[in-house]
Amino acid sequence: GQNIDQPTEMTATEGAIVQINCTYQTSGFNGLFWYQQHAGEAPTFLSYNVLDGLEEKGRFSSFLSRSKGYSYLLLKELQMKDSASYLCAVDSSYNTDKLIFGTGTRLQVFP
Amino acid sequence: DAMVIQNPRYQVTQFGKPVTLSCSQTLNHNVMYWYQQKSSQAPKLLFHYYDKDFNNEADTPDNFQSRRPNTSFCFLDIRSPGLGDAAMYLCATSRVGGTDRTFPYGYTFGSGTRLTVV
């Protein structure tokens, strides 16, 4: 079956660093996406990993280990506006980009 | 500059009254998708069009249909909306076969349509 697991909720304080983990078991793997989603809005693209290793983009970094079926999103210098849900999604198809989403991690940033 | 546009942003429909949601894109992507996202749940793929080829997910109810009259537009038709169909409906596009998977060349979402059934 297809399974993507993330913690349901996390909290952190402004200025801190937080790591959101994602483990996956899918029938295929063509890349892994991280999206940010504010309440009532559409997901917005954060990162894409297809090879093992760390991808850094400003305050956000994403890591992938394909052999372990594991990824994490690292958020540095947290800001209040980072309070949102973070969705891990696996592109499991080589023919079309059918994304399988985890249920998301709701991050609450406190002052 | 919006590249995947969904209209309307909010839609209220009556129980059992057919409703159509629309999606348009300026990215010239060859695949368009419709996802349903209920509150506090993950987006769930309903179906997608690969060019003109329609691909339905096995567990998508017959109540949901889709049309793609051309590359730029895709519609979601709900024939007889029930209370359980109230959700955010997300349209997404991608270019399968492209080598650059980063935004905006890869998977791109529209702003969504929030459907309320009364």
Side-chain angles (χ1 to χ4, degrees):
Chain A
Q2 318 270 45
N3 201 40
I4 300 179
D5 288 319
Q6 302 177 236
T8 305
E9 291 189 5
M10 297 182 71
T11 60
T13 44
E14 209 172 5
I17 299 173
V18 71
Q19 177 174 311
I20 303 175
N21 295 325
C22 171
T23 58
Y24 63 89
Q25 288 178 308
T26 56
S27 56
F29 183 85
N30 200 31
L32 186 144
F33 291 82
W34 282 96
Y35 287 88
Q36 180 191 61
Q37 187 176 30
H38 285 100
E41 298 182 9
T44 55
F45 173 86
L46 289 178
S47 67
Y48 173 73
N49 293 70
V50 64
L51 300 176
D52 289 353
L54 188 68
E55 294 275 347
E56 297 187 78
K57 189 186 296 184
R59 294 191 299 116
F60 294 3
S61 303
S62 56
F63 172 83
L64 175 67
S65 169
R66 289 173 298 172
S67 62
K68 295 181 180 177
Y70 168 70
S71 174
Y72 67 74
L73 179 70
L74 193 71
L75 293 78
K76 303 175 189 174
E77 301 169 16
L78 280 173
Q79 302 174 9
M80 298 295 289
K81 67 178 182 179
D82 297 329
S83 294
S85 287
Y86 291 86
L87 301 169
C88 172
V90 171
D91 179 356
S92 66
S93 169
Y94 291 101
N95 296 320
T96 60
D97 295 338
K98 291 174 62 174
L99 295 192
I100 301 168
F101 282 87
T103 52
T105 299
R106 184 182 297 182
L107 174 66
Q108 187 80 35
V109 180
F110 292 100
Chain B
D1 281 34
M3 290 170 279
V4 181
I5 303 164
Q6 290 189 244
N7 285 308
R9 187 74 187 269
Y10 300 93
Q11 175 76 54
V12 180
T13 191
Q14 290 180 334
F15 183 95
K17 183 176 180 180
V19 66
T20 295
L21 310 182
S22 75
C23 177
S24 64
Q25 54 127 342
T26 58
L27 296 163
N28 201 31
H29 281 174
N30 51 1
V31 190
M32 296 185 77
Y33 310 80
W34 280 103
Y35 283 84
Q36 179 193 62
Q37 187 179 24
K38 297 186 178 180
S39 182
S40 301
Q41 296 184 21
K44 178 180 176 300
L45 182 65
L46 296 174
F47 28 59
H48 71 277
Y49 271 95
Y50 189 153
D51 292 325
K52 295 182 180 180
D53 293 332
F54 177 72
N55 298 271
N56 202 27
E57 293 301 299
D59 56 354
T60 297
D62 293 340
N63 199 25
F64 292 86
Q65 304 286 323
S66 186
R67 297 168 283 136
R68 189 180 186 186
N70 54 51
T71 301
S72 301
F73 284 87
C74 195
F75 299 99
L76 170 63
D77 301 309
I78 309 177
R79 292 192 296 190
S80 181
L83 297 178
D85 297 328
M88 171 80 88
Y89 289 88
L90 297 165
C91 173
T93 71
S94 73
R95 171 166 289 285
V96 172
T99 55
D100 189 341
R101 308 307 299 138
T102 59
F103 179 83
Y105 306 105
Y107 222 92
T108 305
F109 281 93
S111 55
T113 294
R114 181 165 293 282
L115 179 69
T116 301
V117 182
V118 297

